[in-house]
Amino acid sequence: MRIRTTAASAALLLAALTACGGGGDNAADTKPAPAPPAAASPTPTPGEVEKGMSLGTPARTTGDGGTGVLEITPDTIVFAQKAGDQTPENGLFVVVTMRDKAMTAVAADEPAPISGGGWKWMAADGQMLSFDTGNSSMVTLDGYNEADPVQPGGYQMRSQVFDLTPAQAKGGTLIYIDGEEKAFRWQMPSVDSGPRVADVRKQLAG
């Protein structure tokens, strides 16, 4: 009698376990597989600003029309309230000198401003300013005004002048757009800096 009771209990327990196991298998079959993690986007976040170079750092740029390579190095910046008998319309002349060196076997030049290339100034608040603001075009520097294409193996000293308000000049970014419409940025100091300050100051005083 005791043996039959034990066998009956075991049979009932086995049936219960079988029922539970079957329900679990069916639930697993109908549950959706977890979605794979999203892949990281290879493109930068919209609005992200590339890190700028510092004054004196060279950049290899494409010449006007995609011809040749220019290594451009902005090396000196000077802030002046006067240039000879010229007064800035907006408060400050900001003069930047740069060295353009041809790096390939063909002559290369900076794009003409009319093409949308060349030099621009970005104020700390993001305002974009062209080189021909105010009275900037009235200021020229001897020895820094070459305009012909740079011949292979050679270099030229050039300059760019901006007429800015003190707020626009402080903490600004110098931007150059090359022959392939690629932008290069240099973070500019807010005080006179670079190896040619004395020479630029002398010319502005004259």
Side-chain angles (χ1 to χ4, degrees):
M1 183 67 178
R2 182 178 301 169
I3 294 175
R4 286 199 297 268
T5 302
T6 303
S9 299
L12 290 173
L13 179 60
L14 179 60
L17 289 174
T18 302
C20 290
D25 291 342
N26 292 337
D29 292 341
T30 58
K31 184 178 180 180
S41 173
T43 58
T45 303
E48 183 178 349
V49 178
E50 64 189 76
K51 183 178 180 181
M53 297 172 283
S54 59
L55 186 70
T57 304
R60 290 177 66 95
T61 72
T62 302
D64 185 28
T67 301
V69 175
L70 280 178
E71 181 185 78
I72 296 182
T73 310
D75 61 6
T76 297
I77 185 169
V78 171
F79 301 85
Q81 296 180 337
K82 198 171 183 182
D85 59 355
Q86 296 297 324
T87 301
E89 182 178 305
N90 298 308
L92 276 177
F93 285 128
V94 178
V95 183
V96 182
T97 65
M98 61 278 299
R99 181 177 185 265
D100 287 11
K101 181 180 179 180
M103 303 300 290
T104 57
V106 295
D109 201 5
E110 296 181 4
I114 194 171
S115 69
W119 298 96
K120 302 181 187 300
W121 183 274
M122 184 171 72
D125 66 356
Q127 182 182 8
M128 297 294 299
L129 302 151
S130 64
F131 74 95
D132 57 352
T133 54
N135 294 326
S136 62
S137 60
M138 306 298 291
V139 181
T140 58
L141 301 176
D142 292 339
Y144 303 93
N145 55 0
E146 299 290 342
D148 295 327
V150 185
Q151 296 302 312
Y155 73 90
Q156 294 179 1
M157 295 305 303
R158 300 186 178 188
S159 63
Q160 194 64 68
V161 182
F162 299 90
D163 185 340
L164 307 172
T165 68
Q168 291 167 342
K170 185 175 182 180
T173 301
L174 183 70
I175 297 177
Y176 174 74
I177 301 174
D178 74 357
E180 291 184 338
E181 299 185 354
K182 182 178 179 180
F184 299 83
R185 301 165 180 255
W186 290 265
Q187 302 297 328
M188 290 289 102
S190 297
V191 296
D192 293 359
S193 303
R196 308 180 197 279
V197 170
D199 186 38
V200 172
R201 277 282 176 197
K202 181 179 179 180
Q203 293 204 47
L204 293 176

